[in-house]
Amino acid sequence: MAKGTTEMEVGSDGVAVIYIANPPVNALSIDVLFSLKGHYEEVLRRNDVKAIVLTGTGRSFSAGLDISAFADIRKHAGKPSVAAIDGPALGGGLEISMVCQARISTPNAQLGLTELQFGVIPGFGGTQRLPRLVGLTKALEMMMLSKPIKAEEAHELGLVDAVVSPNDLLNNARRWALDIYESKRPWARALYKTDKLESPDLAREILNSARVQSRKWAANLQYPFVCIDAVEEGIVSGPQAGLRKEAMAFQELFFSDTCKSLIHVFFSQRATSKQVPGITDLGLMPRKVSNVAIVGGGLMGSGIATALILSHYPVILKEVNEEFLNAGIDRIKENLQSRVRKGKMTKEKYDKTLSLLTGVLDYEKFKSVDLAIEASSISNYLTSAASSKECPAHIMPLLEIVHTPRASLQAVVTLLDVGKKIKKTPIVVRNCTGFAVNRMFFPYTQAALWLVDHGMDVYKIDQACTEFGMPIGPFRMTDLVGFGVALATGMQHLENFPERVYKSMLISLMTEDKRTGEASQKGFYRYDSKRKASPDPEIMNYLEESRRIAGATPDPELLKLDNSAIAEMVLFPVINEACRVLGEGIAFKASDLDIASIFGMGFPPYRGGIMHWADSIGARRICAMLSEWEMKYGQFFEPCSHLLERAAEGLPLSALATKTMNNQAKGKL
Ligand SMILES: C[C@@H](O)CC(=O)SCCNC(=O)CCNC(=O)[C@H](O)C(C)(C)COP(=O)(O)OP(=O)(O)OC[C@H]1O[C@@H](n2cnc3c(N)ncnc32)[C@H](O)[C@@H]1OP(=O)(O)O
């Protein structure tokens, strides 16, 4: 079935208006592009058509290439085209508008070449036209950051020729197109503009600076550098050469694993709140939430309160006594003041936001709230919103909504809506120790401690994990969260999963000597006053004592492992635990765990998330490696049934195994 099309109407003024019609965002599917090509060929043949306006149906010009398709577009000469832009014009959407001779937009247009968020580069001429319309520096910034700009800035830069009201958009564009047709306005062709381009020497400096910047955030990635190379080719050898380099590079990148992974993340992130079986498919609508009450003003509660008042929700914060309440309010003030210090918030906005907060010591005002969130340990009668304890809730992009048996489905649907409104990515999980993120990643530190007790170097393990793409290694992370949290979390898991907790004494030994992580300026690393971490030779004493207590002897085989193999030995147990979380029904779908791993633990998005990455390796290989390690080193590595079943059947980890399907059919699950 065709996915989208273009529609055309020719007015008595001789202007053909072509509408891109592929709701909801007018993505450029193959059907749309072929239809667009057909309409352009038709208007070039028609004598009653003097000029063309290209626009989108609904409130979107176009969100760019339909990222499940690949297409090509040819430039059209002969009759002037003007793009009439309302809403997003992103990726290929902006690119086809730059092929037009002019662009008219409404004030709420968003214009950007956002392809790098999918691991590709602009493929419809954007690497050549955007620099020539807005200058090299701004063009590189927009492409590297995948960050759209608003109409006003686009107009100042010359990307948009006029900004008009939505009601005047089409008529303005028609008039503009006719003016070009009647030679009252220039026939502009962005591809050959040069007035915005910097001098060759300055351009070379700008391009190299972009490469240096990209190395800081994209050390493991190729596509940002491929984009810069395509831009440079056009500057050095001319726009046609640049187009050729861009087209070849785009095709190669579009079929890469990185692109597939990033597209998977894009759709999975949107699916976390839309496809929750047994919850979002019941026709329940989110209740209107005008104000929220929070029980508990600790790190979690004050973070949630901060996120809510930043999104303009009035919040009632309840604590057990004046001291705790003031402490909670002070945490929230500090969270806001930090934004003021960083220039993200004005003093006026600070005052206005803080005025939304009311502190109470009883439940009297709870009678008038629409939503209550418990962020302490009082009960599971309410919907408990928790995220990884290592990061304040207003910073954490992930919101784990714990669907306890007593939490109403209505409350969950409403919290999903509130979660998105406070700019979080919500996932629904069932209740268990550590919910999804902390449970899945508990083995991250455990496996690392096991490797260290068997002779491996602490800093080599961290380096192997950061080379894999994790933001920080397990030991640097343990220093960051603090040994108190690490020990408390360890106790929780030991109580609930004793058969698969590795009992290392290393952290306890260090804690006895007041080595408790970054806060004490020494843990696995030593920290200077600016929190810069350096390896600390003093930990050797603790390592030797820990190895002695563990009765572990250094394994020569382990010490030969390269960094890629070390990362697998740390992360395959994480995959194993993720499979348990999925198999036990704690998580509703594998893609939710992908999003949880990325947004909750910084798992590299360009690998698609923990389960997507696991499926790129295959259940069979992961199972075989874990089984081999279990034979050699013990139960910590024992593959779970979810993994074993899929390995046996050669299924992806996200698939329902035959046994599971049969059990469900018998009502056993
Ligand atoms: C030719 C080359 O240059 C390559 C390209 O063009 S690559 C594509 C570049 N495009 C983008 O980066 C834009 C991606 N989309 C967005 O940023 C946002 O969707 C939006 C700003 C356009 C709209 O945001 P919002 O209003 O929040 O709505 P959603 O994000 O939820 O999107 C609504 C549904 O549309 C689907 N969708 C969005 N963009 C695309 C796309 N490019 N291709 C296919 N589908 C797209 C999205 O998944 C939502 O679908 P759902 O089923 O409703 O969940």
Side-chain angles (χ1 to χ4, degrees):
M1 180 173 118
K3 193 180 176 200
T5 183
T6 55
E7 294 148 7
M8 182 169 79
E9 60 188 31
V10 179
S12 56
D13 58 0
V15 173
V17 180
I18 299 177
Y19 295 86
I20 303 168
N22 185 15
V25 294
N26 297 331
L28 301 173
S29 63
I30 290 182
D31 298 308
V32 166
L33 290 167
F34 275 108
S35 172
L36 180 62
K37 192 165 181 289
H39 274 135
Y40 257 85
E41 284 161 356
E42 181 189 343
V43 297
L44 294 179
R45 285 194 305 272
R46 288 178 55 162
N47 296 326
D48 62 335
V49 172
K50 301 173 185 171
I52 301 143
V53 168
L54 179 63
T55 190
T57 57
R59 303 288 292 177
S60 168
F61 179 73
S62 168
L65 181 72
D66 179 332
I67 45 183
S68 58
F70 173 69
D72 189 5
I73 188 167
R74 299 270 175 269
K75 61 179 170 42
H76 284 280
K79 295 179 179 175
S81 298
V82 171
I85 301 171
D86 186 18
L90 303 174
L94 179 60
E95 289 177 286
I96 57 173
S97 82
M98 292 192 289
V99 180
C100 296
Q101 277 64 54
R103 285 151 297 284
I104 316 291
S105 90
T106 62
N108 79 335
Q110 308 127 51
L111 304 101
L113 290 188
T114 45
E115 286 86 347
L116 267 69
Q117 72 173 321
F118 297 112
V120 292
I121 67 171
F124 292 169
T127 62
Q128 307 306 311
R129 291 189 175 88
L130 189 62
R132 288 167 175 75
L133 284 167
V134 304
L136 189 53
T137 303
K138 187 63 183 177
L140 284 168
E141 177 198 308
M142 287 173 68
M143 288 186 273
M144 292 298 117
L145 299 179
S146 278
K147 189 168 172 291
I149 58 175
K150 290 194 169 32
E152 186 183 346
E153 183 182 6
H155 188 213
E156 286 161 10
L157 289 164
L159 179 55
V160 156
D161 299 275
V163 181
V164 302
S165 73
N167 293 339
D168 298 337
L169 178 64
L170 220 40
N171 286 337
N172 255 279
R174 304 174 84 106
R175 183 65 258 157
W176 201 291
L178 287 171
D179 287 351
I180 297 171
Y181 176 77
E182 292 155 8
S183 304
K184 294 175 186 168
R185 288 184 184 278
W187 181 292
R189 297 185 68 189
L191 201 56
Y192 298 99
K193 272 173 64 71
T194 55
D195 57 300
K196 288 287 180 74
L197 280 181
E198 291 80 354
S199 69
D201 288 348
L202 181 53
R204 197 170 298 108
E205 260 183 58
I206 294 165
L207 290 160
N208 288 333
S209 164
R211 291 187 174 99
V212 168
Q213 286 307 314
S214 297
R215 269 186 214 103
K216 288 179 186 165
W217 64 272
N220 292 4
L221 304 172
Q222 278 309 308
Y223 56 87
F225 305 96
V226 171
C227 184
I228 296 169
D229 292 349
V231 172
E232 183 170 51
E233 177 71 1
I235 290 172
V236 171
S237 312
Q240 289 303 335
L243 286 177
R244 284 192 294 276
K245 189 169 182 80
E246 173 195 280
M248 286 187 293
F250 175 80
Q251 285 209 62
E252 190 176 332
L253 290 170
F254 188 78
F255 295 101
S256 68
D257 288 340
T258 296
C259 178
K260 287 189 187 76
S261 297
L262 290 168
I263 288 176
H264 167 75
V265 170
F266 178 84
F267 289 121
S268 300
Q269 185 185 4
R270 283 152 180 78
T272 62
S273 55
K274 293 178 184 169
Q275 298 163 21
V276 188
I279 293 179
T280 56
D281 51 6
L282 304 176
L284 289 171
M285 295 308 290
R287 283 231 178 97
K288 180 171 169 32
V289 174
S290 307
N291 50 18
V292 182
I294 298 175
V295 180
L299 181 66
M300 178 75 71
S302 59
I304 295 172
T306 305
L308 285 161
I309 59 177
L310 282 171
S311 294
H312 315 300
Y313 283 97
V315 168
I316 292 166
L317 180 68
K318 191 245 174 231
E319 256 299 357
V320 291
N321 59 45
E322 199 76 33
E323 179 197 350
F324 283 13
L325 180 59
N326 290 335
I329 292 172
D330 287 347
R331 284 190 192 92
I332 295 164
K333 285 179 177 174
E334 175 47 32
N335 293 341
L336 298 181
Q337 278 154 3
S338 161
R339 297 171 68 84
V340 174
R341 286 195 295 272
K342 291 173 186 166
K344 291 181 178 175
M345 179 180 263
T346 62
K347 183 67 181 70
E348 296 69 33
K349 186 77 185 330
Y350 168 90
D351 294 333
K352 192 162 178 245
T353 304
L354 195 59
S355 69
L356 292 170
L357 180 67
T358 306
V360 298
L361 294 174
D362 58 40
Y363 292 101
E364 188 54 34
K365 290 185 187 292
F366 275 51
K367 293 171 191 160
S368 62
V369 298
D370 300 316
L371 181 67
I373 298 175
E374 68 87 15
S376 61
S377 55
I378 59 159
S379 94
N380 53 10
Y381 288 89
L382 305 166
T383 300
S384 161
S387 53
S388 179
K389 288 183 176 49
E390 287 72 32
C391 173
H394 66 292
I395 307 284
M396 169 58 74
L398 184 77
L399 170 64
E400 289 179 275
I401 297 172
V402 183
H403 174 216
T404 65
R406 293 182 175 147
S408 80
L409 296 180
Q410 180 63 60
V412 175
V413 167
T414 301
L415 202 53
L416 277 169
D417 185 53
V418 171
K420 284 193 287 183
K421 283 175 177 159
I422 63 174
K423 302 183 184 61
K424 299 293 179 187
T425 296
I427 62 167
V428 182
V429 296
R430 293 201 175 89
N431 202 8
C432 78
T433 298
F435 307 131
V437 175
N438 288 341
R439 167 123 183 239
M440 270 195 296
F441 275 86
F442 182 66
Y444 186 55
T445 310
Q446 288 272 297
L449 288 166
W450 183 89
L451 284 167
V452 159
D453 274 354
H454 287 76
M456 201 168 283
D457 176 75
V458 161
Y459 310 112
K460 183 171 177 56
I461 295 167
D462 271 8
Q463 185 195 9
C465 291
T466 50
E467 276 180 14
F468 169 83
M470 293 300 290
I472 51 177
F475 296 107
R476 180 72 186 81
M477 184 182 75
T478 305
D479 274 0
L480 181 64
V481 304
F483 289 10
V485 169
L487 290 171
T489 309
M491 285 311 294
Q492 256 191 339
H493 281 78
L494 190 58
E495 283 160 25
N496 291 280
F497 317 111
E499 79 289 353
R500 59 179 188 269
V501 169
Y502 176 65
K503 303 170 194 67
S504 165
M505 290 306 293
L506 184 53
I507 293 177
S508 301
L509 289 168
M510 295 165 89
T511 303
E512 282 166 17
D513 277 4
K514 305 277 184 283
R515 259 182 186 273
T516 57
E518 193 175 311
S520 65
Q521 291 196 302
K522 51 186 180 177
F524 288 102
Y525 294 81
R526 183 169 287 283
Y527 297 88
D528 66 16
S529 54
K530 293 193 176 68
R531 295 177 57 196
K532 184 177 180 312
S534 313
D536 185 353
E538 276 187 22
I539 66 169
M540 273 317 291
N541 308 328
Y542 304 100
L543 293 180
E544 282 156 12
E545 179 59 9
S546 178
R547 287 165 182 160
R548 187 191 65 75
I549 296 170
T553 50
D555 179 337
E557 284 304 304
L558 287 178
L559 301 183
K560 289 180 202 156
L561 293 180
D562 64 17
N563 283 357
S564 170
I566 293 171
E568 285 189 347
M569 209 158 181
V570 172
L571 288 166
F572 280 14
V574 173
I575 292 172
N576 202 17
E577 197 61 32
C579 286
R580 290 188 180 101
V581 169
L582 189 59
E584 293 166 19
I586 302 296
F588 284 80
K589 52 188 183 294
S591 61
D592 284 356
L593 296 180
D594 288 327
I595 296 304
S597 65
I598 292 166
F599 289 79
M601 280 300 287
F603 191 88
Y606 58 83
R607 293 184 187 271
I610 189 75
M611 299 298 269
H612 185 85
W613 172 60
D615 276 338
S616 71
I617 297 168
R620 285 206 168 114
R621 175 159 181 272
I622 296 166
C623 212
M625 294 305 292
L626 286 167
S627 301
E628 182 188 317
W629 298 334
E630 180 197 4
M631 294 275 286
K632 280 185 182 173
Y633 306 123
Q635 196 178 8
F636 175 78
F637 294 100
E638 182 184 9
C640 69
S641 57
H642 183 97
L643 188 54
L644 287 163
E645 282 171 15
R646 279 145 194 80
E649 298 187 45
L651 289 171
L653 295 174
S654 52
L656 274 181
T658 309
K659 183 182 163 196
T660 310
M661 281 191 279
N662 294 341
N663 286 341
Q664 279 184 338
K666 291 173 201 155
K668 284 186 180 173
L669 280 180

